[in-house]
Amino acid sequence: MKKRTTVRVITFLSAGLIVAGTLAFTGLRRAKSLELYARANTQRSFDELVTSVSELSSALEKCVYVTDPALESALCTQVFGRAATAQMAMGTLPWSGQELENVSGFLSRVGDYACVLSRTVGGNGGYSAEELENLTALADTASVMSLNLQDMQARMMAGALTMDEVTAAVEELGGGEGEAPLAGTAFRSMEAEFPELPTLIYDGPFSESMIGAAPLCLEGLPMTDVADAETAAAKLLSLPEEEIEPLGEVGGTIPCYSFSCYAGGGEYTVYVTKQGGYVLSALCSRLPGRPQLSVEAGLDAADDFLRQQGIEDMERSYHMLQDGVLTVNYEYVQDGAMCYPDLIKVGIALDNGSVVSFDARGYLSAHHDRELPEASVSLAEAKATVSPALTVRSHQMAVIPSPGGEERYCHEFLCRAEDDRNYLVYVNAETGTQEKILILLEDESGTLTI
């Protein structure tokens, strides 16, 4: 009897230990899952903070050089919005209290100041000298802060900084009250792009405005069948039609036939519009090898490709080299004016000069017969609206889209500031008001616009 009792006790104890161990293991797994979830949320909030401060810095920089009261007001509203977004991101960070007190204070002050200016600048006919001086100082501070936050983000992505170390690292972001940079000099100033930036940038300064718009270029054109669409796909790639394989149909704003083929060591996917039978886009899966061609040779190859396709009246604007592919942007030119909405992009692999991407969505969405108005505002009058802090380097006429999707006929001025940074200033050729100002970032890879 005693042996049976002992066995039962041992059995119960063993079962209890197993249950306790299982519960402990389950608890540890749950705690680990919660920890990973918390870390992911913290990382996401930090990334949003970095993005918002970067956009805040760009908006403040534009504020310094804009001279039209209406655009000044719009940019101040943008500054206010970016500051508010950055503050909301900080509010979800576990170390957003005392460690970032100076950063939070700066965001609050710059947001409040921009909000006040957005209401008053229009009625006052523009910034006062004191307001412009204040905006310049705020832009300088935001630029330093943005660079240091981007450096922290780059270090995290490289594994040189973990979220556990961020709490200690952010203490270096606080500067003395009223000192030039709120961010300290402990971090290196290095470029770190966010996932959204490449899309924002090298498609051209206005390309995203036409995404989702009805295709003006296709209006009134007849519908085509799959055989004619297959011919168009074969012509684009200079291949026999029997090597083109139909994949089916694709809906959306611009309904298409889709095709596939193998060429040059990669698989191409080609989309041809049902209406009109134009190639909408083509993309090759091949990853280019080590570049053997220069950027100039790549630009010439892109020019030759457009000529072979019979696409005329297009002029190069911007280009960007990324991962061995040179993406060249072309804009339609009418009566000497660059029509930025009418965009075609050609991607050239610099290892062998082949075309690995083609995108005509902007062109097919926006191109139409325009009646360009007479420029009521002369070149001299438009130039007089450019900030005296900028030196005009060149001028041309341009058609740009408005935020509401309409088009504006403008004087385009390429300008340079004292720090050698370049800007594009657009002045409405009918009203004389500034429509937009863009910052150009230029390096060996190409030209970026923000």
Side-chain angles (χ1 to χ4, degrees):
M1 181 65 70
K2 287 183 180 180
K3 286 184 179 181
R4 290 180 182 175
T5 301
T6 302
V7 170
R8 287 175 182 173
V9 169
I10 293 174
T11 301
F12 287 145
L13 288 174
S14 299
L17 289 173
I18 292 173
V19 171
T22 302
L23 291 174
F25 179 72
T26 303
L28 288 173
R29 288 187 59 184
R30 180 174 177 79
K32 187 64 175 178
S33 297
L34 290 174
E35 180 185 355
L36 292 174
Y37 178 77
R39 285 175 179 269
N41 280 340
T42 300
Q43 182 67 59
R44 185 163 52 249
S45 296
F46 180 74
D47 290 343
E48 178 146 0
L49 172 64
V50 176
T51 301
S52 299
V53 172
S54 175
E55 293 172 347
L56 170 68
S57 175
S58 298
L60 280 168
E61 187 174 342
K62 294 175 184 180
C63 281
V64 173
Y65 296 109
V66 69
T67 60
D68 183 78
L71 190 52
E72 287 173 349
S73 178
L75 283 170
C76 285
T77 301
Q78 189 178 112
V79 169
F80 171 73
R82 298 298 182 269
T85 302
Q87 284 183 299
M88 284 191 290
M90 284 185 59
T92 61
L93 294 173
W95 31 264
S96 60
Q98 185 176 359
E99 295 93 341
L100 289 178
E101 182 178 356
N102 288 330
V103 177
S104 178
F106 171 78
L107 292 173
S108 178
R109 288 193 296 273
V110 74
D112 290 344
Y113 188 64
C115 183
V116 171
L117 285 183
S118 68
R119 299 193 190 109
T120 61
V121 70
N124 295 337
Y127 303 132
S128 67
E130 181 181 358
E131 289 168 344
L132 185 58
E133 184 179 350
N134 290 339
L135 286 170
T136 302
L138 291 172
D140 291 342
T141 299
S143 177
V144 175
M145 181 191 300
S146 177
L147 286 172
N148 287 333
L149 285 170
Q150 289 182 44
D151 180 66
M152 288 175 60
Q153 185 186 51
R155 289 166 60 188
M156 278 187 264
M157 294 176 65
L161 184 69
T162 66
M163 291 306 298
D164 291 336
E165 296 169 313
V166 168
T167 301
V170 295
E171 294 178 0
E172 299 181 51
L173 279 170
E177 188 70 25
E179 294 178 0
L182 286 178
T185 58
F187 300 110
R188 302 180 310 275
S189 296
M190 60 183 295
E191 295 181 5
E193 294 180 348
F194 317 122
E196 297 80 5
L197 285 182
T199 305
L200 173 71
I201 291 173
Y202 73 83
D203 282 349
F206 303 107
S207 62
E208 292 185 356
S209 64
M210 300 306 298
I211 293 178
L216 296 178
C217 186
L218 305 181
E219 283 187 358
L221 296 181
M223 303 300 289
T224 189
D225 58 24
V226 66
D228 290 338
E230 185 175 308
T231 300
K235 178 185 176 184
L236 182 86
L237 300 176
S238 300
L239 293 174
E241 291 184 28
E242 55 267 23
E243 295 186 20
I244 306 297
E245 179 184 354
L247 296 179
E249 301 180 7
V250 179
T253 306
I254 307 180
C256 292
Y257 298 106
S258 62
F259 301 92
S260 175
C261 66
Y262 287 89
E267 180 181 9
Y268 283 84
T269 303
V270 184
Y271 296 94
V272 181
T273 63
K274 289 185 177 181
Q275 186 177 16
Y278 287 100
V279 175
L280 179 71
S281 66
L283 184 64
C284 180
S285 64
R286 184 178 74 87
L287 297 177
R290 185 183 182 86
Q292 302 296 322
L293 303 177
S294 66
V295 170
E296 290 72 21
L299 294 173
D300 291 339
D303 291 346
D304 292 341
F305 173 77
L306 278 191
R307 280 194 293 268
Q308 292 168 7
Q309 300 303 315
I311 301 175
E312 301 177 343
D313 298 323
M314 304 295 290
E315 186 173 318
R316 278 193 236 137
S317 56
Y318 302 96
H319 64 268
M320 173 56 60
L321 176 61
Q322 190 172 39
D323 298 328
V325 176
L326 181 71
T327 301
V328 188
N329 296 335
Y330 293 87
E331 286 15 272
Y332 178 70
V333 179
Q334 179 180 336
D335 299 331
M338 295 283 283
C339 301
Y340 282 107
D342 299 10
L343 170 69
I344 291 178
K345 295 184 292 180
V346 178
I348 302 294
L350 292 188
D351 59 349
N352 60 11
S354 64
V355 176
V356 292
S357 67
F358 175 79
D359 190 341
R361 284 176 293 180
Y363 184 90
L364 297 181
S365 295
H367 182 66
H368 63 285
D369 292 329
R370 296 177 173 88
E371 293 184 7
L372 298 181
E374 290 291 331
S376 304
V377 178
S378 68
L379 170 58
E381 291 171 329
K383 187 175 179 180
T385 69
V386 176
S387 168
L390 296 174
T391 300
V392 175
R393 297 177 56 200
S394 64
H395 164 270
Q396 66 180 356
M397 302 304 295
V399 175
I400 67 173
S402 71
E406 299 177 351
E407 293 186 343
R408 300 284 187 263
Y409 187 47
C410 295
H411 294 274
E412 178 190 85
F413 295 100
L414 174 61
C415 306
R416 175 168 290 175
E418 290 184 359
D419 62 358
D420 290 333
R421 177 168 285 195
N422 291 325
Y423 296 80
L424 288 173
V425 179
Y426 294 90
V427 180
N428 193 303
E430 297 179 272
T431 65
T433 58
Q434 287 186 354
E435 290 287 343
K436 187 173 285 288
I437 182 169
L438 297 172
I439 305 170
L440 292 180
L441 306 178
E442 299 163 295
D443 60 19
E444 65 279 0
S445 297
T447 303
L448 314 180
T449 61
I450 55 177

